[in-house]
Amino acid sequence: MNHATRRGNATFGVLLVLIGVSIAILNAVAFHPGAGTQWTKRTEHVHTLEDGSDVRWTEHEAVSVKEGREMAALQQDAAPLLSRTAGLWGAAILTLCIFSFLLGDNPLYKAAEAIVVGASAAYWMVIGFWETIVPNLFAGLFPDWTRANFMPKLSAEASVDFLLLIPLALSVLLLLRLAPKIGWISRWPTAFIIGVFCGLRFISSLEADFLSQIGPTIKPLIVMGENGFDLESSFSNIVLVLGTLACLVYFFFSVEHKGAVGKVARSGIWMLMITFGAAFGYTVMGRIALLAGRFEFLFDDWLWLIDPKDAHPAQVFLQTIAPMLT
C-alpha cells in the first residue's frame, strides 16, 4: 500500500467518524432532544459492621430515559449521569472508528483497536484482582485486614490459611520473568502450573471431549416409537453412525485408500467438509449477531432511531401523533 492510498484511507476514515458524530449531534439537538444521554437510578446502601460502624456506598443502575424521567417527576433519585453519557458517546465513536476499517487501514482504526485491547486487558486484570486475589488470597492470609478494607461481609470466623503462602510464592516467582538476569526462575512456577492444570483437566477433558462423543454414536439403527417404526430417528442414527465410521476410515492410514476403503474414505471427507461448513456457518451467524448488536447500539441507545423497548420519548411522541396523521 503506497503513501497516497494510506493517506486516502485515513481521510475517508476521519470523514466517516466526523459524519457519524455530526449526525448524532444534529439528531440530539433538532429531532430527538436528549438523545445520547444515559439515565441512572441511584440507590444508597448501608451495611453495619460487627463493631457498629456503617459502610455506605451508592449503586447506579442504568434505566431508560422514559423510566428516568418518570422517576424524576415522582421526585425519585434518578437523573442523567455524565460519566455514563460520556461512556455511551465514547463507545459509539470507537464503534465508528472500527467500522472505518471498511474504507481501509487508517490511524483511527488502529487507535480504536489499541484502546479496546488495552481496556479489555485492564478490565480483566481488575476482575481478577477483586474476584480471585482478594477473596482467595487476601481473605485467607489477612482476614481481619481484608474485612476492614475490602470485604465487610467476610465471616468473623475466617482464619489464616498458611497454605496460601505456596501460591503466593509461585506468583512472585512468575513476576521474576520481568528481570532478565533471574528470569529463568519463572520457569519453575510455570512448569508447576501447567502440570497441575493438565492433571486436573485430563479427567474432565477425557469425559467431556472423548467419552461424551463416543456415547452419542452408539445408537440403534432401527428406532421403534409409540406408533411403530420411527423413520426420521432411524435415518438420523444411520447417517450418524455411518458418517462417524467413514471419518474414522479416512484417518486410518494403515490400509491404502483404494477400492472400497478409498470410497468410504472419500465419503468421510464429505462428512468432514459438511461438519466444517456447518461449524463455519455457526461462527458466521455469531459474528452477524455481534454486528447486529452494534447496529442496535448505534441506532437505539445512541441515536434513538429505533426503540424495541418503547422507552424513548421520541418514539412515544411518534406513536402518539401517528393516528392523527392517518
Side-chain angles (χ1 to χ4, degrees), residues 90 93-94 97-98 107-122:
I93 293 174
L94 288 176
C97 291
I98 295 296
L108 289 179
Y109 168 76
K110 293 181 178 179
E113 183 183 32
I115 291 173
V116 170
V117 173
S120 299

Side-chain angles (χ1 to χ4, degrees), residues 16 24 40 65 91 130 133 151-152 182 225 249 262 266 279 285 296 303 305 308 326:
L16 173 64
T40 60
V65 177
W130 286 104
I133 296 179
M151 301 176 62
I182 56 176
V249 170
R266 280 192 292 272
M285 289 176 58
E296 182 179 351
L303 298 177
L305 299 180
T326 57

Side-chain angles (χ1 to χ4, degrees), residues 234-254:
S234 299
F235 178 76
S236 176
N237 291 351
I238 291 173
V239 172
L240 176 63
V241 173
L242 295 182
T244 302
L245 293 176
C247 293
L248 292 176
V249 170
Y250 171 73
F251 288 103
F252 188 71
F253 300 109
S254 298

Side-chain angles (χ1 to χ4, degrees), residues 146-168:
T146 303
R147 187 184 307 108
N149 295 277
F150 297 118
M151 301 176 62
K153 295 184 179 181
L154 183 64
S155 175
E157 300 178 356
S159 59
V160 179
D161 186 1
F162 291 101
L163 289 178
L164 292 175
L165 292 174
I166 298 176
L168 177 61

Side-chain angles (χ1 to χ4, degrees), residues 296-307:
E296 182 179 351
F297 165 76
L298 290 176
F299 291 110
D300 179 24
D301 297 339
W302 190 40
L303 298 177
W304 292 8
L305 299 180
I306 60 174
D307 189 9

